[in-house]
Amino acid sequence: MTQQVMPMVIMGVSGCGKSTIGELLAQRLGVVFIDGDGLHPKSNKDKMGAGIPLTDTDRGPWLEIIGQRLAERDANGQPVIIACSALKCSYRDAIRAHEPETRFIHLVGGKELIRGRMDARDHEFMPSSLLTSQLTTLEVPNPDEHAISVDINQTPQQIVAYILGELGLDNR
C-alpha cells in the first residue's frame, strides 16, 4: 500500500531546479504545483531584480502565504507541491506552523553547476549575482526536519524517481 501524498515544498537556492522538479513531481502524483516565486509581493520581486538580497522581514509575509496555501489545500484533501527556497530552518518552521505535515525536498548542487544554470536562463527577478547570498543564507535541513536531500547532478526524471522512492510513492 502506498502512502498518502503529503503537502510538499521543493526547496533550495535559486537555480537548483525547484520549478522543474516540482512540476514533474506534481504531474507524476496528479497534484497541483505552485511556483512560490509567483507568491512574492511586488516589492520583493523589485528588490531581488535590483540584485538586493531579501531580509527575513521581507520574506515573512511570503512564507505565511506559502504555509497558508499548503494548509488550505491539505484541509480540502487537495495536496499541493510548492517551490520555495525555504533557506533557513526558521523559514521552514514558519511554513510548518501552518501545515505541520509539510515534507521538504532539498535540491542540492555545487555552486558552479547552479551558477551555470542561472546564467543560461532568463528569470523574471533572480539574477545569478544573488547566488552567493543564497548559499550563505542556506541552512541545510537538520535530521529532525525529516527532509529529503537529492543531488541535482542527474536528470530531472532521475531526481523525481529518487524522491518518489524516498517517499514510498514510486509505484504511482
Side-chain angles (χ1 to χ4, degrees):
M1 175 182 266
T2 60
Q3 184 179 346
Q4 175 82 14
V5 177
M6 72 290 295
M8 288 182 244
V9 169
I10 309 297
M11 64 163 286
V13 298
S14 184
C16 69
K18 294 183 296 293
S19 298
T20 299
I21 299 305
E23 286 175 3
L24 286 172
L25 187 60
Q27 196 172 58
R28 181 81 183 268
L29 294 172
V31 300
V32 170
F33 170 74
I34 298 173
D35 191 331
D37 283 348
L39 302 176
H40 271 293
K42 184 178 181 325
S43 58
N44 283 5
K45 291 178 182 180
D46 290 346
K47 195 171 185 179
M48 288 184 289
I52 303 167
L54 297 180
T55 65
D56 288 356
T57 302
D58 296 325
R59 286 188 181 94
W62 175 63
L63 295 168
E64 291 291 313
I65 292 168
I66 288 171
Q68 290 167 357
R69 291 282 174 93
L70 287 161
E72 289 166 3
R73 294 203 53 101
D74 194 45
N76 291 322
Q78 302 170 326
V80 65
I81 297 172
I82 298 181
C84 168
S85 54
L87 297 175
K88 290 185 177 181
C89 182
S90 62
Y91 302 168
R92 296 185 292 274
D93 287 346
I95 292 168
R96 277 191 296 265
H98 291 279
E99 181 47 73
E101 299 302 314
T102 300
R103 191 71 187 263
F104 289 87
I105 312 298
H106 181 203
L107 303 182
V108 181
K111 184 176 184 177
E112 294 311 311
L113 173 64
I114 295 171
R115 183 176 303 284
R117 290 179 179 187
M118 291 179 81
D119 288 343
R121 71 179 188 172
D122 182 27
H123 193 275
E124 176 188 4
F125 54 81
M126 195 65 180
S128 60
S129 62
L130 289 177
L131 178 58
T132 299
S133 73
Q134 288 222 323
L135 289 168
T136 300
T137 301
L138 176 65
E139 295 173 359
V140 175
N142 299 310
D144 67 340
E145 292 186 76
H146 306 291
I148 295 170
S149 293
V150 58
D151 185 345
I152 62 168
N153 196 14
Q154 49 192 327
T155 68
Q157 292 75 17
Q158 290 170 318
I159 293 169
V160 168
Y162 177 82
I163 294 166
L164 290 170
E166 289 295 300
L167 294 171
L169 301 171
D170 49 344
N171 58 352
R172 286 190 177 223

